[in-house]
Amino acid sequence: MTVHSDWGDWLPTAVADAEPDGVQLWYLGCNGFVLKADDGTTVFIDPYLGLGDPPRTVRMIPVPFDPTDVVEADAVLATHEHTDHVHGPSQAPILENTDATFYGPSASVETAREWTTDYDLTDDDFTEIEEGDTVEVGSLEIAVEPAHDPDADHPVSYVIRHKAGTFFHGGDARPSEAFESVGERYDIDLGVLAFGSAGMIPDKQTREPKYTKWYSDENMAAEAAAQLQLDRLLPTHWDMWKGLTADPEALRHHVRSFAFPRTLEVLEIGDETTL
């Protein structure tokens, strides 16, 4: 598969040209982000530029960039092994064209190492991490934490710390004791949680419609944000798959009576924010 961007190269160019005071973040749609720190450190998390598997999974948003247009990156992080989080055509060109290392839990790295057949990559481009590990990437300290995602073989979450603040990415995980522990041990300024509706999606094998719930609904997202004690909640994944999309603004009604999150922040694909 060759990635074709609907937007040309303006987004990777904007990232390359940015000179943030602290940490700047761009939402790539689905559950993808790119973070750039004030020293130039650039980290991608779960960038996915594929079209899904129509008619089972149908992409509902633009493909925001061509990965061959990325010229600066220090790391690509994967939260779990699903295709929209570990995807060769989206991520292997970034590794090829930059000095970036791929970091992910066991199942993610096992999948990613298959890319060495089709891309100019070696096993040294991939580093397996696990819960409890800490990775230093430039000015970013990345702590690997547990995550509860019943649909994944080995999911993790990430707490990324910088002098400007602390960022949390939960992958597709749902409320759990693991999130409570993270919330007690870190002061998280901005946290990303997957959110979406349930729907009737064709089964992977039979292609018959099947009740599917892959992400937290409104109440679960509110519960997870409260467990994590987030200052700012940024919902993701609501924009991606036909039949599972949702309105993130609906979360305002579900979080307003809780102490956390203090703020709901809604971004569309291509939008940016700061830590």
Side-chain angles (χ1 to χ4, degrees):
M1 170 191 167
T2 301
V3 171
H4 171 74
S5 171
D6 298 312
W7 286 356
D9 65 356
W10 74 262
L11 185 53
T13 298
V15 174
D17 291 345
E19 297 180 355
D21 291 330
V23 178
Q24 200 162 339
L25 306 90
W26 292 259
Y27 178 42
L28 307 178
C30 193
N31 219 348
F33 281 85
V34 56
L35 285 63
K36 187 173 184 180
D38 50 9
D39 66 341
T41 301
T42 304
V43 172
F44 286 79
I45 307 174
D46 287 354
Y48 177 66
L49 307 168
L51 301 179
D53 181 26
R56 182 170 183 261
T57 48
V58 180
R59 186 182 183 105
M60 296 295 288
I61 51 176
V63 177
F65 66 95
D66 183 328
T68 62
D69 288 329
V70 176
V71 295
E72 295 179 0
D74 298 287
V76 175
L77 307 182
T79 58
H80 62 291
E81 74 282 354
H82 290 169
T83 301
D84 53 341
H85 301 261
V86 177
H87 186 244
S90 301
Q91 298 167 10
I94 298 175
L95 302 178
E96 277 188 324
N97 297 332
T98 71
D99 293 328
T101 298
F102 180 96
Y103 295 93
S106 56
S108 298
V109 170
E110 181 180 357
T111 298
R113 282 203 167 110
E114 297 175 2
W115 305 342
T116 57
T117 302
D118 299 317
Y119 298 91
D120 185 19
L121 299 171
T122 70
D123 283 347
D124 292 339
D125 292 307
F126 306 94
T127 298
E128 183 176 319
I129 47 85
E130 62 182 8
E131 297 87 335
D133 288 349
T134 298
V135 178
E136 301 279 350
V137 181
S139 60
L140 301 177
E141 181 183 273
I142 304 170
V144 185
E145 294 291 341
H148 170 63
D149 180 355
D151 298 316
D153 289 336
H154 187 180
V156 298
S157 60
Y158 294 105
V159 177
I160 301 179
R161 290 185 284 188
H162 182 270
K163 61 185 179 182
T166 300
F167 173 74
F168 174 83
H169 196 300
D172 290 353
R174 304 174 195 180
S176 67
E177 292 181 358
F179 276 5
E180 289 183 347
S181 175
V182 171
E184 290 169 356
R185 290 183 288 113
Y186 298 96
D187 181 9
I188 302 172
D189 297 288
L190 176 63
V192 166
L193 292 172
F195 161 66
S197 61
M200 299 300 291
I201 303 298
D203 181 79
K204 197 169 188 177
Q205 278 74 42
T206 68
R207 296 291 171 164
E208 293 297 319
K210 178 182 178 182
Y211 179 80
T212 302
K213 184 175 183 178
W214 285 333
Y215 318 112
S216 291
D217 62 16
E218 292 91 340
N219 291 321
M220 295 170 69
E223 180 183 1
Q227 290 177 336
L228 291 161
Q229 302 181 41
L230 302 181
D231 283 345
R232 297 153 62 196
L233 165 62
L234 204 170
T236 57
H237 235 316
W238 54 269
D239 53 4
M240 188 61 183
W241 300 126
K242 185 175 179 63
L244 301 181
T245 57
D247 179 3
E249 290 292 342
L251 286 169
R252 297 193 189 280
H253 300 287
H254 294 264
V255 302
R256 62 174 42 160
S257 66
F258 293 92
F260 301 98
R262 302 187 192 280
T263 304
L264 175 66
E265 186 166 339
V266 176
L267 300 184
E268 294 180 333
I269 182 172
D271 286 349
E272 63 184 82
T273 189
T274 56
L275 190 57

